[in-house]
Amino acid sequence: MEAQPAILQYPETEYILPGTRTCAGCGVPIAYRFILKALGPKTIISVPACCVTILHGIYPKSPMAATTVNTTFASAASTATGLAAGLKATGRDDWTVMAMAGDGGTFDMGIQSLSGAAERGTDFIYVCYDNEAYMNTGVQRSSATPEGAITTTTPVIPKEQPKKDFMQIMEAHGIPYLATASSSYPGDVYEKFLKAKNIHGTRFFHLSAPCPTGWYYPTKDTVKIGRMMVESCLFVLYEIEDGQFRLTGKSLSIAKSGRKKPVDDYIRMQGRFKKMPPEVLARFQNAVDEKWEALLKRAGF
Ligand SMILES: Cc1ncc(C[n+]2csc(CCOP(=O)(O)OP(=O)(O)O)c2C)c(N)n1
Ligand code: SF4
Ligand SMILES: [Mg+2]
């Protein structure tokens, strides 16, 4: 019998119904749709203040067919800890607890509650969807904003510090599973969440989600921009399971073929990089190359 195309193997149930309040072209709901398909109906989500709060909307007009708790900005992981404890105490071990937070709510504001939960081995999935700034409040810089980007808090001189390597911080917690994923590769997102669902303990995802509103590119280009991040190895798709590192999807194909693109086209497509000086672009490319080489080595290439 012929194998079914991957798209026909995803569950048909939708947990995000039409009519969300995200901007046109937002990268977040593309991935979120597949995350929820992988996790299924017995999922409870802790959402701090961020664009996903806007996506979830206000009761009774929410487009979400998923159980949600809205919490304060720094508390996604501590709220999830309470949910996990409550479900365990009431014998509902078949539920999945997930926290869905932005980069501001993770790299900066939520790091203490996330680090505490990971150190305790809280049984939950934490997703940091990364649009590389505090978007919900009007594009302020976060420690996930790349060097050379303009934000409303770095309007004249673009951001001078490089992006924080948050995966390294999370790996240092010794958690059983952590992975990167991109909204431009929903199949890879789906597979990784399906796997994470069946692992116990703290599982962490760094999910790249392009944002036309804060990156200043046309709304139709979201999937293209996300693919360019991966094709240039600026954002690498991988997973670390019980300490074992593995490249996945498009990044694995690039490792095999050696066909890695430069970052220039990706940078030039976005208004946020219009003031990036040539020397910063050269340094940026250099940093991407060095990190890719290190990951290739780690993956055994
Ligand atoms: C303690 C606190 N400080 C500031 C805010 C205002 N605030 C709400 S959402 C947000 C930005 C969140 O950024 P991020 O976590 O990156 O998510 P995004 O909006 O980009 O999706 C801010 C600053 C708040 N709700 N609580
Ligand atoms: S500001 Fe960006 S991340 Fe937020 S809803 Fe709009 S496109 Fe999505
Ligand atoms: Mg953000």
Side-chain angles (χ1 to χ4, degrees), residues 156-234:
V156 180
I157 301 170
K159 191 188 174 216
E160 293 176 300
Q161 300 78 16
K163 186 182 178 88
K164 189 189 276 184
D165 190 339
F166 207 76
M167 286 296 277
Q168 278 199 14
I169 295 173
M170 288 315 294
E171 191 179 3
H173 286 77
I175 56 178
Y177 185 80
L178 59 162
T180 60
S182 158
S183 59
S184 295
Y185 296 90
D188 186 68
V189 170
Y190 181 81
E191 294 299 328
K192 285 172 175 165
F193 276 82
L194 207 55
K195 179 184 273 193
K197 182 184 174 182
N198 296 313
I199 295 172
H200 285 288
T202 302
R203 293 87 88 195
F204 178 80
F205 280 89
H206 182 197
L207 174 74
S208 172
C211 165
T213 306
W215 296 11
Y216 307 105
Y217 65 79
T219 54
K220 69 177 174 50
D221 288 335
T222 288
V223 172
K224 185 174 173 185
I225 287 268
R227 286 188 184 155
M228 289 169 98
M229 289 177 89
V230 173
E231 287 163 359
S232 61
C233 301
L234 171 59

Side-chain angles (χ1 to χ4, degrees), residues 42 84 86-96:
K42 289 191 169 181
L87 290 170
K88 192 173 174 203
T90 50
R92 284 174 279 187
D93 291 338
D94 52 343
W95 278 72
T96 302

Side-chain angles (χ1 to χ4, degrees), residues 50-110:
C50 59
C51 286
V52 166
T53 327
I54 306 304
L55 189 159
H56 278 243
I58 302 166
Y59 182 81
K61 293 189 175 168
S62 169
M64 297 300 295
T67 312
T68 312
V69 178
N70 271 313
T71 190
T72 54
F73 201 9
S75 314
S78 42
T79 298
T81 300
L83 292 171
L87 290 170
K88 192 173 174 203
T90 50
R92 284 174 279 187
D93 291 338
D94 52 343
W95 278 72
T96 302
V97 178
M98 174 169 74
M100 182 80 183
D103 50 291
T106 305
F107 283 53
D108 299 340
M109 296 277 294

Side-chain angles (χ1 to χ4, degrees), residues 51 102-105 129-136 142:
C51 286
D103 50 291
Y129 70 90
D130 187 3
N131 52 23
E132 304 195 321
Y134 293 73
M135 294 307 181
N136 182 38
S142 77

